[in-house]
Structures are given as structure tokens and as C-alpha cells.
Amino acid sequence: MQDKEITIYDLAERLNVSATTVSRGLQDHPAINKKTKKRIFDLAAELGYRSNKFASNLRKQKTNTIGVIVPRLNSLFMSSVLSGIEKIVNNAGYNLIISQSFEHESKEKTNTTTMFNSRVDGLIVSLASDTEDLSHFDTFIRKNIPIIFFDRVAESIQSTKVLIDNFKAGYKATEHLIQQGCKKILHITGNPSRNVYKDRFEGYKKALNDHHIEFDPALYISNDLTEQAIQDALVNDVLKRDTLPDGLFVTNDSSAAFALTIFKEAGLRIPEDIAIVGFNNDLISKVTEPAITTINYPGNEMGESIARILINHLDGEGDLSFTSTVLLNTELIVRGSSQRKK
Amino acid sequence: MQDKEITIYDLAERLNVSATTVSRGLQDHPAINKKTKKRIFDLAAELGYRSNKFASNLRKQKTNTIGVIVPRLNSLFMSSVLSGIEKIVNNAGYNLIISQSFEHESKEKTNTTTMFNSRVDGLIVSLASDTEDLSHFDTFIRKNIPIIFFDRVAESIQSTKVLIDNFKAGYKATEHLIQQGCKKILHITGNPSRNVYKDRFEGYKKALNDHHIEFDPALYISNDLTEQAIQDALVNDVLKRDTLPDGLFVTNDSSAAFALTIFKEAGLRIPEDIAIVGFNNDLISKVTEPAITTINYPGNEMGESIARILINHLDGEGDLSFTSTVLLNTELIVRGSSQRKK
DNA sequence: AAAATTTATGCAACCGATTGCAATTGTGTA
DNA sequence: TACACAATTGCAATCGGTTGCATAAATTTT
């Protein structure tokens, strides 16, 4: 059929006006007569005109695109965050480019370069687990392209950060276990150079301390939280010890679920022998037997906050305090895996 | 610092050659002298030159971008598919734009429009659960922009489809339950206008038939597979019936997990009273008690197939049979939720 | 009715890379 | 030395919108 793209020049010709007028009309420019605008819009619709973003971006030097780099998309949390971001961003007339680092610094670096070359107007990042060097963000900083970090943030980079109070969440989780009578609480967590893991760990230690339980380094395990890593840590180490822990606080729900499965296979009762608390309130935490006590925090809300802050900044309304930290609330959801007392 | 973008003109000026030569040099054009190329590349690297995609796309009328629209990203399956696609596509020098329809036709429509306006070179789609009208893809078809459907495909649209043999998978799952002694197998599934659900249902019926079990319409439930829907169907209906089913084949693992939880709460034993088979081999199927028998299929491989077919087509190498259907293999993974016999 | 505004529209340059065709330089051959 | 031919390089137009400035037309003010 009509395979030819319609341009503003085509519209201009048919309407006997200039391309300038068409361009302005389509943008609802105040100087253009209402009737002319209507004629333009009508014809545009009729002919199936679509603006050429490349021409427009080239001229305007702005892409109206926001990049997002996350470790993985396969959790309820991430997909909620994304959904929140997308909602706000679309309403504001921006587009999203999403990519996954798959928890690797190298992939994160190439993704960042791609985003840079795509000239995103802003970048939203949650760091890969093993990212140490942050120099790939330098190009953005040098060009003053705003970056917002969320959840796994880069503490040394000056920019807005949106996250939960991981210290407090870690404290709450641990304190809950203590209140259920646990004395030897195992903590399994990720790379401690990531704020989320470090802060939860600090909260864990503080809770122990406040309840006069001495921190035992043997009860602190840090690994990459894959199924394999959890298996190794528990089967080859923890379960072979003379004294077993009586509580477990692990920083994500799928790991908590794996641990629960392993413990049950080893003949331990949950929560009587070992009480378990996870993190994130992922779907998986609800279907295990018993269901897993966890920390809930609203991904959707977080996504919306992130997007609003970024858009306000880009539209030049609120760059007052762009380098601030936003802390969102969390709550402990108590389920069977930890509840020993009514 | 240097906030100014470097263009080929800047390079040309410093090297005392024309922009044409710089452009060709950067593309490794054979007519350009090797020494000249080296000088160009060296200076480009030194000054931090980056190509302006908008100018390039504008001129070339090609974006090197591929759009992906999926229902949701929060499953292991989807995130594997995406990862497979991304790998192939990046190697071929294309970029990805990913968006979620959140299972709604309306969102799918606006996403499609956005993709169209972003002038993607090709589109990869898995349909939302409630999509009936497919007219939003007409613009692509009219302009001859290739669309590949996967998993949830549009049967009425002529284009490549990549999926598993859902009929066979449904047959295998059902037959397995029959072999475990089930006679009254409940089938809970999604919208039957989606091929995946319809075909699995057909497989289910065929297996029943082949084993001389009459199909009972009361044992077929179709809903949107949310947690709420599963809960309603089981608690308010199935569990109130005089005769309970002795088997359940449900077309995704999280629903299987919810069902399993509900049945256990109702005091039923799994698999003795009701044997359960899910679908997808998602993480969740491994951590329930008992673990859930399920159908596994390789998302990564599927993603790679999809991307290869599309890229070959775009690069004009294999458009011979672009409107074909690719079927990938699946396997039944037997776990505790269904295994009654050794 | 002339002057001052306001309202609408157009001209032309520009954004940065690509490419058909022509031009220049260099090498080999008669 | 002259000519054919290959190897390099450049000119200039093009892709489709956007925008500062100028101009023309309509309306208001004096």
C-alpha cells in the first residue's frame, strides 16, 4: 500500500502552508491559528503522519529517553519498580530503554556505554552485585546527565538515591528473631560492598548488641546468593557444625526458600529448630511450607518516586536538591517460618 | 569540562581531510587509505567522539533497534528469553527496547504505537492475556516491518512464530497424571483464545480420550491465573464439590504453588489425594513442599532462536521462509507433587 | 484615517552523518 | 613521455524537523 512516509512537507504542500506552520501546529504552538491547527491535525491523522524522532532529536539535542539498568528483571520487586517508573515516565512523554546487567560489572559497563551512545536524557541504575569500579558512570557525570541510583546505590557518587532504610530493616528482622527466642542467628547475605547488604548486616549486629548477644563471625556468611551458593554454604558448612544456629536471616526470599528446603531435608523443623526471615516479600515467600516471614517494601512506589524526581529534574522544575537521599518505609510481615509464640 | 560534542566535522578539521573521509574511515570503508583510517580512529578515541545515532538514523532510514513487548517480566522464563534475545541482538549491533503490557490489551496497543513511532526495525511480541483485537499490528504489517511472535502468538497474523508444542506438553502432563492413577483431573488454565492455553487444553483432552477417560466440563476452569482467581476457583467452587478431583494440571507454576498451598490448608495430601502438575519450571516450583512436577522449556534458547531469525531477516540473508513456525522441545520434570509410584 | 499592536505565517539556516558522482593523485604500461 | 587504470579523497545534496528573525495581515488605539 502506501509505503511512503508522510513528512511535514507533505502536509504543508497539501495545506498550502509552510513546513514551519505545520511543525508549530503539531506542537500546539500558541502563535498558530486554531483553525489552521485543526486542519493540520486532521490531515495528519488522515494520512497517518508520524513525527520523525530522529530528525527532531537531532535538531533539539534532546532524546526524551530515559535509560534503566538493573541487575535482573526476574523478581516481583524489580518488575514492580519498572512498572512504577514506566507509568510516570510515559505520562511525562518520555520513553524507556531497559537493560539487565545480569549481576556482572562487565555487562553493566557495556550497558552504560550503550545508554550513553543512545544519548539518554537521564539514567536510573541499580548496581550489579560485583561492581566495584564506578568509572563507567564518569561520562555521564562529566556531561551532567543525571543519574539516579536506587536500591543498590553507589555511595561514592553524588546523585539522588532512592532506597529503603536497610539498616532499620535488618534490625527489625533480627530483633524479631530474637523475640522468638533465637540466640544463634545465622546471617546469609550478599557482597558487603553493596550498601543493601552492608546496611542490613549493620542492622543485624546492632540488634544483637542491643539484646546483649555477642556477634559471632562464624554466623555471618556472604556469597552471591545463587541457589548453588546457598546449597554449598548450608550443606557443606553450616549443617556439619557441632552447634547449629537456631535462627536465619537471609537477604532475599528465594534464598530463604532454598534454605528452608535444605533445612527440612536435613530433618530440622521450621520454625521450632530454626526460625527463618527473608527479604523482599517476593511471591515465593508465600508458598513455602511454612510461609516465610519477610520484609515488604513497595516496588511500585519506589519506581514512581524515582521517576518523578528524575522528570522534575529534567524538566527543570526541582533541581534544587538533586543530590539527596530518599528513604522509603518497610514493614515486617510475620509468617509461619519464624512465628514460635502467639 | 569539555561539554561540547565532537562531530565528524571536528575530526575532519583537525586531520585536514573532509567529513566524507572521516565518515567512511569510521565505517572501515575499503576506499579509505589504511593510514588515514588509523589517524581517524586514533583522534576519535582521543577526543571521545561518539557517533550521533539520530543523524545517522535520519540519513540511513534505519534505526538498528528492535522492540520487544511481553506481558510481564517477572518470571524466570521471560527473563531468560530476554537474556537470549539480548545476547544475539547486541552481537549483531542492534539495540533493544523492552516494554510490558501487564497483560492488558490497552497497554499493549500503546506500547505498539510507541514502538512504531520509535521506528523499530523489527518487533518481537508475546501477547497479553486478554488481547482479542490485533489491529494495532496493522501499521507494522502495512509497512512491512517484521514481527515475530513467541509463546503467546497471534495465529491469524502471517509471521514467524517461535513456541513450544503446547499440545504435546499438555498431553504429556495429563498422561503423567493418568499414569499416577488420577481419574478426575482438574485443568486450570488461562484465556482459551491464547494459543498456549487452548493447545494445552487440547492436549489435555486428547490424553484423557486416549486413556478412555471422558472429559468432564466441570473439571475445566479458565480464568486470569492471578492468585485471587486461583483462590476463588478453588475455595469457593472446587473444594465445595461433593467429589473432589484427584489430579490438577495448571498452566503455570505460581498458580500451581498457590493451589498446592490452598489444598494443603484444606487438609488434602499432595500427591496422595491430589497430584499436581504445573508449567514453566519456574523457581517457585522447586521450593514448595512437595516440589511441583512441571514442564520445562528453555527460555534462553527460545530467545536466541527468535533473535537469530529476526536478525537474519533484517540483514536480508534468510527471508526465504519468514512466515514459518518454530517449535522447541519441552520435557516433563517429575517431582513430589505428582509422584505416587516409583 | 493613520499609527501602533497583535496575530499568523514564512524564510532559511541548522542539527550530524551518509553517499552518488566527480576529481585528484599515483602507478603501471606502451 | 604519454596514456590507461586504480587508489584516494572531496563536493554537495539529502534525511525531516526546529527555531530566530522578518514579514504580512488583522485588529485596536488615538
Side-chain angles (χ1 to χ4, degrees), chain A residues 75-87:
Chain A
S75 68
L76 185 62
F77 167 64
M78 273 303 170
S79 108
S80 314
V81 171
L82 258 290
S83 146
I85 292 177
E86 194 174 36
K87 183 178 149 200

Side-chain angles (χ1 to χ4, degrees), chain A residues 136-156:
Chain A
H136 42 304
F137 298 115
D138 287 353
T139 43
F140 283 82
I141 296 166
R142 208 171 307 134
K143 284 225 187 303
N144 245 324
I145 303 168
I147 306 181
I148 295 194
F149 290 94
F150 75 96
D151 198 46
R152 311 234 203 111
V153 307
E155 294 179 302
S156 61

Side-chain angles (χ1 to χ4, degrees), chain B residues 25-203:
Chain B
L26 289 170
Q27 297 170 74
D28 205 23
H29 191 291
I32 303 296
N33 188 297
K34 286 189 206 72
K35 288 176 190 165
T36 312
K37 278 183 195 167
K38 180 153 179 11
R39 289 173 60 219
I40 293 172
F41 276 114
D42 288 350
L43 185 65
E46 183 191 330
L47 298 184
Y49 166 81
R50 54 173 175 166
S51 165
N52 187 315
K53 286 192 181 181
F54 305 108
S56 172
N57 288 342
L58 175 58
R59 178 61 223 244
K60 289 195 300 191
Q61 303 285 60
K62 199 188 177 214
T63 64
N64 265 64
T65 299
I66 290 170
V68 182
I69 303 176
V70 297
R72 277 214 149 81
L73 288 167
N74 60 354
S75 69
L76 186 61
F77 167 64
M78 273 304 170
S79 112
S80 313
V81 171
L82 259 289
S83 148
I85 293 177
E86 192 174 36
K87 183 178 149 201
I88 302 294
V89 144
N90 282 353
N91 284 344
Y94 285 80
N95 283 116
L96 270 192
I97 308 183
I98 302 169
S99 75
Q100 314 184 58
S101 65
F102 294 99
E103 300 285 15
H104 291 313
E105 177 169 355
S106 58
K107 188 78 185 357
E108 184 177 290
K109 280 188 191 299
T110 64
N111 287 349
T112 307
T113 306
T114 302
M115 295 291 179
F116 185 68
N117 289 334
S118 302
R119 304 192 186 216
V120 295
D121 293 331
L123 189 63
I124 296 173
V125 180
S126 182
L127 292 174
S129 146
D130 70 349
T131 299
E132 295 289 342
D133 174 37
L134 296 169
S135 61
H136 42 303
F137 298 115
D138 287 353
T139 44
F140 284 82
I141 296 167
R142 208 172 307 133
K143 283 224 187 307
N144 245 325
I145 303 168
I147 306 183
I148 295 193
F149 290 94
F150 75 96
D151 198 48
R152 311 234 203 111
V153 307
E155 295 181 300
S156 61
I157 294 183
Q158 276 245 329
S159 73
T160 296
K161 303 172 178 67
V162 179
L163 64 171
I164 59 166
D165 189 334
N166 285 289
F167 176 85
K168 203 201 273 180
Y171 189 96
K172 273 197 274 191
T174 309
E175 185 169 54
H176 167 73
L177 285 171
I178 295 170
Q179 285 163 351
Q180 302 303 309
C182 299
K183 306 279 185 204
K184 292 163 294 187
I185 301 171
L186 177 65
H187 182 43
I188 303 184
T189 193
N191 184 341
S193 53
R194 276 293 78 74
N195 63 301
V196 291
Y197 303 122
K198 190 191 68 193
D199 294 350
R200 290 169 198 176
F201 178 42
E202 296 299 335

Side-chain angles (χ1 to χ4, degrees), chain B residues 6-17:
Chain B
I6 307 292
T7 71
I8 53 169
Y9 300 99
D10 300 324
L11 299 180
E13 195 179 345
R14 301 223 196 183
L15 293 171
N16 275 319
V17 295

Side-chain angles (χ1 to χ4, degrees), chain A residues 288-324:
Chain A
T288 53
E289 170 68 35
I292 295 171
T293 295
T294 191
I295 300 280
N296 180 53
Y297 62 114
N300 231 290
E301 195 183 295
M302 186 177 274
E304 294 188 12
S305 293
I306 296 165
R308 273 201 207 93
I309 293 170
L310 183 55
I311 302 270
N312 280 344
H313 181 72
L314 288 175
D315 292 356
E317 286 167 21
D319 47 10
L320 351 150
S321 62
F322 187 66
T323 57
S324 60

